[in-house]
Amino acid sequence: MHISTQAVQTGLEWDTRTGSVAVPIYQTATFRHPGLGQSTGYDYSRSGNPTRQTLEDGIARLDGGVRGFAYSSGMAAITNLLLLFKSGDHLIVTEDLYGGTCRLFDKIFTQYGLSFTYVDTSDSAAVQAAVTPATRALFVETLTNPLLKFADLGALSAICREHGLLLIADNTFLTPYLLRPFDLGADITVYSATKYLSGHNDTVAGLVVVKDPQLAEQVYFHQNSVGAVLGPQDSWLTIRGMKTLGVRLDRHQENALRIAGWLQTHPRIRKVFYPGLEEHPDHETMKQDARGFGAMIAFEVDTHALVEQVLLKTRLISFAESLGGVESLITFPEVQTHADIPAELRARLGINNVLLRLSVGIEDADDLIEDLRQALEAGSVGAHCMRPETVD
Ligand SMILES: *Cc1c(COP(=O)(O)O)cnc(C)c1O
């Protein structure tokens, strides 16, 4: 069955008693026992809740894994995964990592004896070279942030198999609609469902899927022990968002490709990072492995002054952190999303003071282009006549 169909069908068969098409929000902390030593399958909502489980089953199905887990945020999901390791263990990690993940690893988990080596995971040779006898896992972002590098999971999973490492894929930017990491050899997927999976900039949520039943038991033990679970209401919102994953992503991508192409032609844009562009170094690999290129674009403007101008002058596109929702958002990674990455690493990665990151929404592409144009050209000589009619 196509993944769009599976997404729409999430939870449909759940309520056999009433036939409710939408899964009910089981807003309850606890469940009555039918008898001594008996359970309905639900005892207490930290351990399991039907609405949350519908989401967990749904994401497991989309990813092709054995079991899904829903957490109160993407960070809570990643934190839970790190509990699979113990003091002395070493992990190899994507270098242009989401800032919050980098902070969690470097500022918190190093205190518990884990160590991390940051490498360019789009370069399999660099990953191979970083493996030590203490290495237990490779944590990759399938498409990185903000510079949109794509990891060759097939090559990486071969390295992981050779050295007995777990391959953990943060697939937030692509979602199972565009990339199914298990098909390429990953062991665990993790999502900030705050982004494309819920898709409406209205929920904070995290998801994990595992492929191996034994590993699933371990992850469940940690989920229940730590308790950073997603509440029924937010589980329901995430399910609702997930149902339209296919149509949203189709539109997101269509818009992104047009905008990236247009940005390339603008005289005040120095560089555009979008894997859908043929000159992007990972374009070909991504074309083979993924069903699309996503809808995140990074671009460099020609002066730092223009950064502030664009952030202040865009009208349709909101200056806000986060991504993956129907509303277009723009941010300045150096200060906003990647401030927790050490400055020298930021400089090496090219996260500089002229780089902007755009999460392309599902508005009309012409309106978005017009908004960017007026923001880029506002205040320049003749700007008045070049300005578009007010966008409505
Ligand atoms: C946002 C994000 C996270 C963190 O998720 P939250 O839901 O904000 O806790 C992790 N990884 C990536 C790639 C992200 O974009």
Side-chain angles (χ1 to χ4, degrees):
M1 200 191 295
H2 194 278
I3 201 158
S4 314
T5 311
Q6 284 176 329
V8 173
Q9 295 280 317
T10 306
L12 201 65
E13 76 297 343
W14 212 92
D15 192 342
T16 48
R17 200 165 74 85
T18 68
S20 166
V21 168
V23 68
I25 302 173
Y26 284 85
Q27 192 66 54
T28 184
T30 191
F31 300 83
R32 283 184 296 148
H33 301 302
L36 193 61
Q38 292 176 11
S39 168
T40 59
Y42 299 97
D43 303 308
Y44 185 59
S45 276
R46 167 159 45 69
S47 314
N49 174 284
T51 314
R52 191 178 90 222
Q53 197 191 331
T54 301
L55 172 62
E56 293 174 329
D57 292 349
I59 188 66
R61 199 162 51 235
L62 297 190
D63 252 342
V66 299
R67 188 158 177 184
F69 302 90
Y71 299 92
S72 52
S73 69
M75 292 322 305
I78 295 171
T79 301
N80 260 258
L81 287 180
L82 276 249
L83 302 178
L84 293 168
F85 305 102
K86 58 183 193 312
S87 181
D89 287 350
H90 170 249
L91 285 87
I92 300 171
V93 179
T94 298
E95 63 180 359
D96 51 336
L97 200 64
Y98 172 72
T101 308
C102 182
R103 177 177 59 202
L104 176 75
F105 291 176
D106 282 0
K107 302 259 166 71
I108 298 179
F109 276 99
T110 51
Q111 293 189 59
Y112 294 88
L114 297 189
S115 63
F116 304 89
T117 301
Y118 291 86
V119 303
D120 178 352
T121 46
S122 67
D123 176 358
S124 310
V127 172
Q128 175 86 34
V131 178
T132 74
T135 309
R136 296 287 170 265
L138 173 59
F139 184 101
V140 299
E141 287 183 3
T142 51
L143 189 61
T144 69
N145 170 21
L147 291 171
L148 293 317
K149 288 186 187 169
F150 182 65
D152 181 349
L153 284 182
L156 294 175
S157 70
I159 297 171
C160 288
R161 272 197 304 277
E162 185 189 334
H163 298 280
L165 316 181
L166 278 178
L167 178 54
I168 305 172
D170 180 336
N171 198 30
T172 297
F173 275 38
L174 292 174
T175 81
Y177 183 68
L178 299 180
L179 184 80
R180 300 222 316 173
F182 293 148
D183 296 346
L184 298 164
D187 300 293
I188 301 176
T189 56
V190 57
Y191 297 94
S192 169
T194 312
K195 316 293 169 55
Y196 291 103
L197 287 170
S198 66
H200 293 73
N201 289 320
D202 58 8
T203 322
V204 173
L207 294 169
V208 162
V209 182
V210 299
K211 204 172 61 174
D212 173 70
Q214 239 176 324
L215 192 58
E217 284 304 313
Q218 233 180 321
V219 173
Y220 176 68
F221 178 77
H222 291 148
Q223 183 196 35
N224 185 39
S225 301
V226 172
V229 293
L230 193 64
Q233 185 91 34
D234 286 339
S235 296
W236 188 89
L237 277 168
T238 307
I239 293 166
R240 208 223 340 221
M242 253 165 53
K243 284 175 180 260
T244 55
L245 186 65
V247 282
R248 278 189 289 109
L249 274 168
D250 287 346
R251 175 61 171 258
H252 277 294
Q253 298 200 103
E254 195 184 302
N255 282 355
L257 191 61
R258 279 204 48 210
I259 291 169
W262 178 81
L263 283 169
Q264 277 187 311
T265 66
H266 197 280
R268 301 217 55 190
I269 304 296
R270 234 164 46 179
K271 215 166 169 183
V272 180
F273 302 85
Y274 181 62
L277 297 172
E278 272 169 29
E279 54 270 43
H280 187 282
D282 301 324
H283 178 76
E284 283 305 320
T285 332
M286 205 165 171
K287 212 159 125 181
Q288 274 168 27
D289 288 355
R291 284 194 62 228
F293 302 100
M296 295 300 296
I297 298 175
F299 59 96
E300 286 183 5
V301 292
D302 63 0
T303 61
H304 178 59
L306 193 52
V307 165
E308 193 170 2
Q309 178 179 316
V310 169
L311 294 174
L312 294 179
K313 298 278 183 181
T314 42
R315 300 166 186 156
L316 281 178
I317 305 170
S318 301
F319 171 26
E321 284 167 49
S322 203
L323 59 111
V326 292
E327 299 90 357
S328 293
L329 304 179
I330 193 162
T331 192
F332 180 41
E334 186 186 50
V335 171
Q336 304 289 332
T337 50
H338 288 65
D340 285 305
I341 303 251
E344 59 170 39
L345 179 59
R346 261 200 325 255
R348 183 155 61 79
L349 295 175
I351 302 172
N352 56 34
N353 73 353
V354 290
L355 184 80
L356 289 165
R357 184 189 80 181
L358 177 63
S359 170
V360 179
I362 65 165
E363 302 91 340
D364 185 88
D366 289 329
D367 288 338
L368 294 175
I369 287 172
E370 209 45 49
D371 193 34
L372 285 166
R373 194 176 68 78
Q374 62 81 26
L376 283 163
E377 293 168 9
S380 60
V381 184
H384 205 65
C385 14
M386 288 195 293
R387 242 198 194 130
E389 27 341 308
T390 318
V391 205
D392 56 23

